[in-house]
């Protein structure tokens, strides 16, 4: 990869970010034409079995909120400024008091390890090599312990509070034992949103992949080989930790009954009391909820509608961001996600009050397209776009980005 774009790489991502899972530099031809996230998406669509690619793409029900996330971001227009000396630019910032090479972190993605064998480990390595945080999801294929053993720096862990509070507590303890540097508590999945494509593809409870999906998988030998070599294809954080539940079918049934509609602010208090580190509350889309979140002792909130996968018909994340940031931005760190596919989008979110952004599908496409090198490419694409966008809007550092970079 270093050979691919001579002289243009950020020092943060040279080296291991551009090595594949076997530790080799990928062939220049593999990723050299990937100039935008859409390129990675197209390759991922080719390489990843249809059911799993569809799972990553989909939104809930009619996809109204999924589409609004993108459409509303694109409506935010940047202000072109000229004759400002922008020769010295810096994309680094602080996220939760720690320095980050970019104002982005990788979002938690359930069963991300089905986009590519050992996917969570690969994504975490790419994030760390790029100098940004990575979030491992409760519903990951690789377990907390798998990832901790495979990387050198702490990562964030995302928690779903299950009905079985003993299990939830054990996840928190395992995250603490693995020295996770933040706990991301997802609060917008008290019941599961429905994605039509998943049901049609057999990604239901219990899973029942259709013959057509199995045939489709057989047409992706690279994916199959990597999955077999990776040796991980179940819910890594759950398997072996719930008595009497073995096998993907039993585990998925157990999990489906574990999402808890009783989840409430008292549970957040409880999590706060058992988690000693930084807490991020993810899935806030309402000013009232944001204000309640400031009273919990959490370090940050993520303004998010779960990438349009939960309440269909909800407002886009970006349309709620300014109101929420205005209401609570001085009391709690405001993060943002939903629809980010470019550095321009990161700039838009920062200008509207976010201090940093999570990216979801943008890196998942990279993972499906090229494993660790693909995630590194996704991060590098966004870094370069952000850097160029900063130059063309006349800003040199992340903390200079505010409403003034937008057409009001
Ligand atoms: C395939 C997929 C799986 C996801 N799984 C989780 C999850 O397990 N936990 C969670 O908190 N959010 C999950 N999310 C939501 C993301 O963390 C994030 O909020 C969302 O992807 C942001 O939108 P974007 O994909 O448009 O960037 C998932 C999103 C996708 C696309």
């Amino acid at each position: 990869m270093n050979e691919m774009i001579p002289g243009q790489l950020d020092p943060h991502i040279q080296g291991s970010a551009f090595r594949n899972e076997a530790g080799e530099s990928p062939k220049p031809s593999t990723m050299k034409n990937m100039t935008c996230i859409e390129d990675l998406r197209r390759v991922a669509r080719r390489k990843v079995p249809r059911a799993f690619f569809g799972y990553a793409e989909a939104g809930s029900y009619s996809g109204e909120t999924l589409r609004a996330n993108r459409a509303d971001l694109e409506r935010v227009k940047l202000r072109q400024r000229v004759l400002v000396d922008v020769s010295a630019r810096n994309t680094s910032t602080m996220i939760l008091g720690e320095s980050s090479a970019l104002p982005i972190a990788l979002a938690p993605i359930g069963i991300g390890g089905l986009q590519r064998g050992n996917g969570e480990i690969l994504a975490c390595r790419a994030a760390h090599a790029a100098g940004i945080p990575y979030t491992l999801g409760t519903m990951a294929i690789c377990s907390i312990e798998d990832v901790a053993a495979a990387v050198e720096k702490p990562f964030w862990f995302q928690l779903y509070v299950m009905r079985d509070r003993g299990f939830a507590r054990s996840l928190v303890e395992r995250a603490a034992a693995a020295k996770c540097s933040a706990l991301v508590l997802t609060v917008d999945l008290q019941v599961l949103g429905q994605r039509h494509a998943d049901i049609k593809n057999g990604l239901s409870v219990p899973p029942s992949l259709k013959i057509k999906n199995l045939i489709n998988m057989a047409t992706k030998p690279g994916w199959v080989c990597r999955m077999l070599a990776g040796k991980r294809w179940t819910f890594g954080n759950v398997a072996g930790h719930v008595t009497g539940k073995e096998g993907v079918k039993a585990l998925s049934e157990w999990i489906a009954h574990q999402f808890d509609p009783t989840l409430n602010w008292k549970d957040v208090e409880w999590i706060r009391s058992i988690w000693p580190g930084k807490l991020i509350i993810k899935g806030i889309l309402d000013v009232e909820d944001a204000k309640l979140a400031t009273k919990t002792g959490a370090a940050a909130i993520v303004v998010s509608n779960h990438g349009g996968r939960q309440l269909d018909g909800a407002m886009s994340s970006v349309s709620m961001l300014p109101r929420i940031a205005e209401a609570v931005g001085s009391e709690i760190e405001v993060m943002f996600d939903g629809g980010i596919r470019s550095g321009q989008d990161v700039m838009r979110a920062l200008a509207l009050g976010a201090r940093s952004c999570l990216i979801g599908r943008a890196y998942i496409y990279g993972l499906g397209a090229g494993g660790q090198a693909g995630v590194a490419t996704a991060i590098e694409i966004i870094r370069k776009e952000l850097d160029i966008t900063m130059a063309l809007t006349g800003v040199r550092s992340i903390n200079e980005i505010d409403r003034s970079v937008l057409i009001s």
Side-chain angles (χ1 to χ4, degrees):
M1 182 75 186
N2 286 358
E3 312 90 286
M4 286 161 26
I5 323 173
Q8 289 190 25
L9 285 173
D10 184 280
H12 282 106
I13 62 163
Q14 285 178 343
S16 60
F18 287 89
R19 298 190 189 290
N20 66 16
E21 45 273 50
E24 311 150 334
S25 292
K27 290 194 190 83
S29 59
T30 320
M31 294 270 130
K32 81 171 172 200
N33 294 324
M34 304 292 117
T35 60
C36 58
I37 297 298
E38 180 57 22
D39 288 344
L40 292 169
R41 180 182 165 278
R42 269 191 229 117
V43 177
R45 188 170 57 187
R46 199 158 34 77
K47 290 193 171 181
V48 177
R50 192 190 300 130
F52 301 131
F53 181 78
Y55 161 78
E57 283 273 89
S60 55
Y61 289 137
S62 65
E64 213 178 282
T65 299
L66 172 78
R67 288 190 298 278
N69 276 352
R70 285 290 315 134
D72 290 353
L73 265 171
E74 281 180 6
R75 264 195 282 276
V76 177
K77 293 300 170 201
L78 299 168
R79 205 169 144 216
Q80 172 178 309
R81 299 300 306 278
V82 297
L83 300 174
V84 180
D85 178 355
V86 287
S87 54
R89 299 184 302 282
N90 185 349
T91 58
S92 68
T93 189
M94 301 296 280
I95 302 182
L96 295 180
E98 296 196 15
S99 72
S100 175
L102 292 164
I104 61 173
L106 301 192
I109 299 290
I111 58 171
L114 293 184
Q115 302 291 318
R116 181 97 166 192
N118 286 342
E120 289 93 357
I121 290 173
L122 303 180
C124 187
R125 284 184 181 155
H128 285 177
I132 66 171
Y134 169 78
T135 319
L136 180 73
T138 292
M139 291 305 151
I141 299 294
C142 301
S143 68
I144 302 174
E145 293 78 12
D146 287 339
V147 178
V151 303
E152 279 155 22
K153 287 189 261 173
F155 51 92
W156 298 352
F157 180 68
Q158 174 265 327
L159 180 73
Y160 283 131
V161 178
M162 308 301 223
R163 279 182 205 260
D164 180 341
R165 294 294 196 266
F167 180 72
R169 178 191 279 273
S170 77
L171 280 174
V172 171
E173 288 167 356
R174 288 165 63 193
K179 304 210 169 9
C180 290
S181 49
L183 188 73
V184 179
L185 175 64
T186 298
V187 294
D188 59 4
L189 207 127
Q190 60 280 53
V191 295
L192 261 178
Q194 175 170 315
R195 294 182 297 271
H196 301 314
D198 288 353
I199 294 173
K200 292 186 170 96
N201 284 324
L203 291 183
S204 46
V205 180
S208 62
L209 282 175
K210 309 262 159 57
I211 291 289
K212 64 174 184 184
N213 293 116
L214 296 173
I215 293 171
N216 177 259
M217 264 181 214
T219 67
K220 320 281 178 194
W223 179 89
V224 173
C225 289
R226 287 186 191 95
M227 286 307 298
L228 292 175
K231 296 193 178 65
R232 296 181 179 97
W233 42 75
T234 184
F235 300 96
N237 288 320
V238 187
H241 295 273
V242 183
T243 323
K245 304 288 169 201
E246 304 299 332
V248 175
K249 181 172 176 286
L251 285 173
S252 65
E253 277 168 351
W254 183 82
I255 290 166
H257 290 104
Q258 284 294 325
F259 293 109
D260 189 353
T262 72
L263 195 70
N264 65 72
W265 290 102
K266 283 220 168 345
D267 296 306
V268 180
E269 242 173 66
W270 173 64
I271 294 295
R272 189 80 212 93
S273 73
I274 62 171
W275 169 252
K278 293 168 193 160
L279 180 70
I280 303 172
I281 301 179
K282 174 173 181 284
I284 298 289
L285 202 68
D286 186 88
V287 171
E288 207 49 47
D289 288 339
K291 287 182 181 163
L292 291 169
T294 63
K295 301 195 174 86
T296 61
I301 56 170
V302 186
V303 176
S304 172
N305 52 31
H306 215 103
R309 293 164 79 83
Q310 284 295 103
L311 177 63
D312 192 36
M315 296 284 273
S316 65
S317 292
V318 72
S319 62
M320 292 310 296
L321 173 63
R323 302 171 222 196
I324 293 176
E326 209 160 288
V328 301
S330 58
E331 293 166 67
I332 198 164
E333 197 159 318
V334 174
M335 305 172 74
F336 168 87
D337 78 23
I340 294 205
R341 301 288 181 273
S342 68
Q344 302 88 289
D345 293 336
V346 173
M347 168 75 100
R348 289 166 165 137
L350 299 187
L352 291 171
R355 296 263 296 277
S356 59
C357 302
L358 300 185
I359 61 169
R361 294 177 181 86
Y363 90 83
I364 282 298
Y365 297 144
L367 184 62
Q372 186 174 331
V375 178
T377 302
I379 298 168
E380 171 62 358
I381 285 169
I382 290 178
R383 184 201 67 77
K384 270 211 279 181
E385 290 168 339
L386 177 62
D387 178 56
I388 298 291
T389 304
M390 285 169 68
L392 295 176
T393 51
V395 299
R396 286 150 291 216
S397 65
I398 296 301
N399 59 15
E400 275 179 50
I401 300 173
D402 59 18
R403 288 283 182 112
S404 68
V405 305
L406 302 179
I407 301 287
S408 59

